Amino acid sequence: ILPAPLEENIKRLLELGVFSGLASRANNGFNLPQSVQALALEILAHACPNTALTVAAYSMVPFVETWGTEEQKTRILPKLLSLEWKTSMALTEPSAGSDLGQLRTSAKRVGDQYIVNGNKIFITSGSGDVTFALARTDATSKGLQGLSVLIIPRKLGEKHNYRVTRIEEKVCLHASPTCEIVFENSIGELLGPEGEGFKVMLDLMNDARLAMAALALALPAPL
């Protein structure tokens, strides 16, 4: 549960249209250049790094616009733009930090869905409503091959689809939850081409690196 002041900040920023900034006009966005979004994140981080980091974590619209099917964009984008779905991306695992080739979270295709098992750690805003997770969809693959990005909702109706098992204790950014999440026969759907998850996730990571750089510019230099 986010602290009340952060919830209020996010609510006001939603009213201002911040989460629609990078969305295309076709999807009711402002079609702003990424440089404007970076400047906005820097300004927010001057006042509250927790707020800026949360805005970055919830800004998944361009990612879905790029890789989603037309059906997914029609169904999912309104939920992201309204923050009905608060988002996170799930990469890091206990055995796969900087080396994603060691990733063990598995996903087995059953019809149009995937059954996901594994756990992720250090997931920023992992307590939200949906996570974009990298999983191994080809059980015979090794390294960075055979990975796919899956959209996994935290709940299916009233039933939990994955569990948040831990909130990390940190020296700062206490209002931004950093979570461990566990998939146990969790149900997800494919985003982008199957088996090309590393390529798909790199697109999101490149945007995330720019966002983190913008936040870092706002932080005071150590004495």
Side-chain angles (χ1 to χ4, degrees), residues 180-192:
E180 178 183 54
I181 58 181
V182 175
F183 304 116
E184 297 169 315
N185 292 324
S186 304
I187 296 175
E189 64 178 288
L190 184 67
L191 181 69

Side-chain angles (χ1 to χ4, degrees), residues 60-80:
M60 297 285 194
V61 169
F63 187 46
V64 175
E65 282 190 322
T66 299
W67 295 103
T69 64
E70 291 304 314
E71 186 278 331
Q72 285 176 321
K73 286 186 276 190
T74 299
R75 173 168 48 90
I76 294 173
L77 289 178
K79 299 180 189 299
L80 302 186

Side-chain angles (χ1 to χ4, degrees), residues 81-155:
L81 290 167
S82 66
L83 289 194
E84 179 183 341
W85 278 6
K86 297 179 174 67
T87 54
S88 65
M89 61 177 181
L91 301 180
T92 305
E93 300 182 4
S95 61
S98 57
D99 184 5
L100 288 177
Q102 300 300 315
L103 185 147
R104 295 182 180 178
T105 294
S106 65
K108 181 180 180 180
R109 185 171 183 171
V110 179
D112 293 333
Q113 299 177 327
Y114 290 78
I115 306 302
V116 186
N117 286 280
N119 68 305
K120 302 285 187 177
I121 58 174
F122 305 137
I123 307 306
T124 301
S125 296
S127 56
D129 304 293
V130 63
T131 193
F132 294 81
L134 192 63
R136 193 168 298 282
T137 48
D138 181 354
T140 65
S141 66
K142 294 182 179 180
L144 299 175
Q145 305 301 313
L147 305 178
S148 301
V149 173
L150 301 173
I151 307 171
I152 308 176
R154 187 177 177 187
K155 283 187 174 183

Side-chain angles (χ1 to χ4, degrees), residues 11 15 17 19 27 39 45 48 69 74 98-99 109 115 129 145 154 162 174 176-177 183 210 213 216 218 223:
K11 177 183 176 182
E15 292 170 354
F19 297 96
N27 292 309
L39 179 60
C48 178
T69 64
T74 299
S98 57
D99 184 5
R109 185 171 183 171
I115 306 302
D129 304 293
Q145 305 301 313
R154 187 177 177 187
Y162 63 81
H174 293 145
S176 172
F183 304 116
L210 292 173
L223 298 176

